[in-house]
Amino acid sequence: MMTNKVRVATTSLAGCFGCHMSFLDMDERLVGLLEHVEFDRSPLTDIKHCQPCDIGLVEGGLCNAENVHVLREFRNNCKILIAVGACAINGGVPAMRNHYEVQECLQEAYLNGVGVDNPMIPSDPELPLLLSKVHPLHEVVRVDYYLPGCPPSGDAFYAILSDLLAGREPSLSKTMLHYD
Amino acid sequence: MNQLLENTLTIDGQVVPFSAGQTIMDAALAAGIYIPHLCHKPELKPHGSCKLCTVDVDGRSMSACTFPASQGMQVANNTPALTEVRKTLVQMLFVEGNHLCPTCDKTGDCTLQALGYHLGMLDGHFPPFYPRREVDASHPDLILDRDRCIMCGLCVRASQQIDGKNVFALSGRGAQNHVIVNSPSGKLGDSDLNKDDLAAHICPVGAILPKNHGHEVPIGRRTFDLHTVAESDIATFNLHKTEHHDD
Ligand code: SF4
Ligand code: SF4
Ligand code: FES
């Protein structure tokens, strides 16, 4: 089914879904947006794989092999890729584990941590393997635009999408620029 | 020609007076002109290390905080090219340490972060180093988190030049450069640093932080949420302003 709408895909990698929640903070402006936009792969649609898209919004950094796989799928399918939020841009809160070895993190979480029942490091083959460090997106693929913030505000999402839909080069006003 | 006319230079075409012995930075601050800077505070001897204050003096790049003002000098400060260079310097400072602002209690009050905003920095550009540096929480009132130290030497100079102590020093070269503490154990808790010392307050980033005062001011209402770095550094703003500078 072909339409003239701009196709947008979104995903959350090593993030907390806070950026997606903030995306929904566009509130009633989403209604206007949906006249021009339709969603492809996204937690909002539950579509599992990307078709060719115009814009990809990626929340979260890369903490495991599956994150890298999904990011590559987005890069291969999206004309414009936007790194959304602190974690996508510099690793953010998950990157706090970069101070430790993966083994130390697993031991703390699953063996020695406070209140651990039935201590055992999960080893199901279905689980994606952890990377030795958390990385931002631009270390693995080319990123077209950055939308900083933890999370970026609904206004910031609206600004960047409005600019792109109008064919303008996105420019975030200083009011909307924050890293926290 | 009288003395006054002899002692002038121009910054971006604006005529600025200076007196003998002043640097370009001194003259600019006195005239209310903001030249970005991180390692400079007017009450301390200049260090010339961060290079954020790089200006173009008669076609050459100079550090405004160390370069003496001289008659007729033509200084370019607020140019797109210098903004790009300064932004790159800030990006390098971000990736060289662990600057995860959402996890840092200095957020909103941090000069490095505010310079990122001022210069329009959206990302770190370079691959992050994620260095592993030592945290020292041994002091009852203060914490030293080297992850966020930018080696500006302000704590070193404040301790020596104002507090009359000698608590901090910079040690090691290049990527090994780090802050060390002058005490028998090398720990802050064993030093004679007091929470009222200037050295305990001067850190422009979240490397030296007071304990027990986290989140006293909510995020969104902190210094640089309400003011630009330019406003606060030339100290002309009204501290009770509650609107954002772009509102
Ligand atoms: S020191 Fe400043 S730039 Fe670094 S994490 Fe803290 S707020 Fe961010
Ligand atoms: S601890 Fe703070 S004041 Fe001292 S050198 Fe590091 S960044 Fe500068
Ligand atoms: S302010 Fe001049 S070099 Fe840092």
Side-chain angles (χ1 to χ4, degrees):
Chain A
M1 183 182 61
M2 291 298 287
T3 66
N4 292 329
K5 287 188 173 178
V6 171
R7 286 192 80 77
V8 176
T10 80
T11 189
S12 177
L13 305 178
C16 69
F17 276 92
C19 293
H20 275 80
M21 298 307 289
S22 197
F23 182 89
L24 297 178
D25 279 342
M26 281 192 280
D27 294 332
E28 68 276 8
R29 285 172 296 184
L30 280 166
V31 178
L33 208 60
L34 282 170
E35 287 176 17
H36 307 286
V37 160
E38 68 189 347
F39 287 101
D40 193 275
R41 175 178 177 159
S42 166
L44 308 171
T45 57
D46 218 21
I47 297 174
K48 302 296 184 204
H49 287 286
C50 257
Q51 300 296 311
C53 282
D54 299 292
I55 301 173
L57 298 167
V58 182
E59 165 192 333
L62 307 164
C63 79
N64 64 33
E66 197 231 355
N67 294 156
V68 176
H69 187 81
V70 174
L71 177 63
R72 292 217 165 105
E73 179 178 308
F74 267 68
R75 181 66 279 180
N76 288 339
N77 283 286
C78 301
K79 289 183 198 147
I80 295 173
L81 194 72
I82 309 178
V84 174
C87 304
I89 293 172
N90 73 2
V93 172
M96 291 177 87
R97 82 147 150 99
N98 291 351
H99 257 277
Y100 306 94
E101 302 297 328
V102 172
Q103 202 60 25
E104 290 175 277
C105 296
L106 290 171
Q107 284 167 353
E108 178 65 22
Y110 294 107
L111 300 181
N112 309 325
V114 178
V116 172
D117 266 352
N118 186 17
M120 178 186 68
I121 294 179
S123 60
D124 191 304
E126 293 252 328
L127 290 173
L129 286 176
L130 294 178
L131 305 179
S132 62
K133 283 192 174 187
V134 176
H135 294 273
L137 307 186
H138 73 273
E139 282 201 88
V140 173
V141 299
R142 180 175 53 79
V143 170
D144 298 298
Y145 298 107
Y146 296 87
L147 188 61
C150 185
S153 63
D155 289 346
F157 276 104
Y158 189 69
I160 195 167
L161 290 175
S162 304
D163 281 345
L164 288 173
L165 290 177
R168 286 188 300 264
E169 189 64 18
S171 97
L172 207 60
S173 84
K174 292 242 164 102
T175 341
M176 294 183 205
L177 178 54
H178 63 100
Y179 309 147
D180 56 13
Chain B
M1 232 198 272
N2 69 28
Q3 189 66 29
L4 193 70
L5 280 176
E6 272 175 24
N7 282 342
T8 60
L9 50 79
T10 65
I11 300 180
D12 295 332
Q14 182 182 337
V15 177
V16 172
F18 67 90
S19 45
Q22 280 191 317
T23 60
I24 298 171
M25 181 69 78
D26 295 332
L29 286 173
I33 295 172
Y34 177 68
I35 300 177
H37 54 276
L38 255 179
C39 72
H40 183 67
K41 289 274 180 200
E43 68 266 41
L44 300 173
K45 289 201 193 98
H47 196 231
S49 58
C50 75
K51 303 300 171 201
L52 256 293
C53 68
T54 299
V55 288
D56 187 294
V57 179
D58 300 321
R60 293 158 71 202
S61 294
M62 294 295 170
S63 303
C65 70
T66 53
F67 203 69
S70 74
Q71 170 56 26
M73 194 180 246
Q74 294 193 12
V75 179
N77 168 42
N78 193 6
T79 69
L82 284 169
T83 297
E84 272 311 303
V85 168
R86 291 167 179 158
K87 186 165 85 184
T88 304
L89 288 172
V90 171
Q91 287 172 321
M92 292 196 284
L93 287 169
F94 263 82
V95 300
E96 189 179 87
N98 291 307
H99 293 281
L100 308 170
C101 299
T103 71
C104 175
D105 198 47
K106 191 76 171 184
T107 193
D109 290 324
C110 169
T111 311
L112 177 65
Q113 187 187 57
L115 272 163
Y117 299 159
H118 180 76
L119 300 166
M121 182 188 105
L122 298 177
D123 69 305
H125 183 79
F126 303 101
F129 286 21
Y130 297 127
R132 292 183 185 178
R133 300 191 189 141
E134 191 193 345
V135 177
D136 179 348
S138 59
H139 195 282
D141 303 310
L142 299 160
I143 186 157
L144 172 61
D145 187 343
R146 292 179 176 87
D147 273 358
R148 305 177 190 127
C149 175
I150 54 169
M151 291 23 121
C152 69
L154 280 170
C155 58
V156 179
R157 284 173 283 155
S159 186
Q160 289 170 352
Q161 295 167 25
I162 309 287
D163 302 333
K165 302 181 182 178
N166 191 16
V167 174
F168 296 103
L170 290 171
S171 169
R173 284 172 176 272
Q176 307 308 319
N177 193 7
H178 63 291
V179 162
I180 54 171
V181 174
N182 181 11
S183 73
S185 61
K187 296 282 184 199
L188 212 51
D190 282 337
S191 73
D192 52 358
L193 183 69
N194 183 288
K195 70 172 180 344
D196 300 318
D197 291 347
L198 183 62
H201 297 278
I202 201 160
C203 184
V205 294
I208 303 176
L209 283 170
K211 286 184 177 175
N212 309 317
H213 293 276
H215 289 269
E216 271 176 358
V217 179
I219 290 173
R221 298 264 70 109
R222 297 182 178 186
T223 311
F224 300 116
D225 297 324
L226 305 176
H227 308 284
T228 68
V229 68
E231 282 178 302
S232 66
D233 268 29
I234 51 184
T236 49
F237 66 85
N238 168 3
L239 276 169
H240 300 291
K241 197 167 109 170
T242 54
E243 293 282 285
H244 192 280
H245 46 85
D246 280 350
D247 283 350

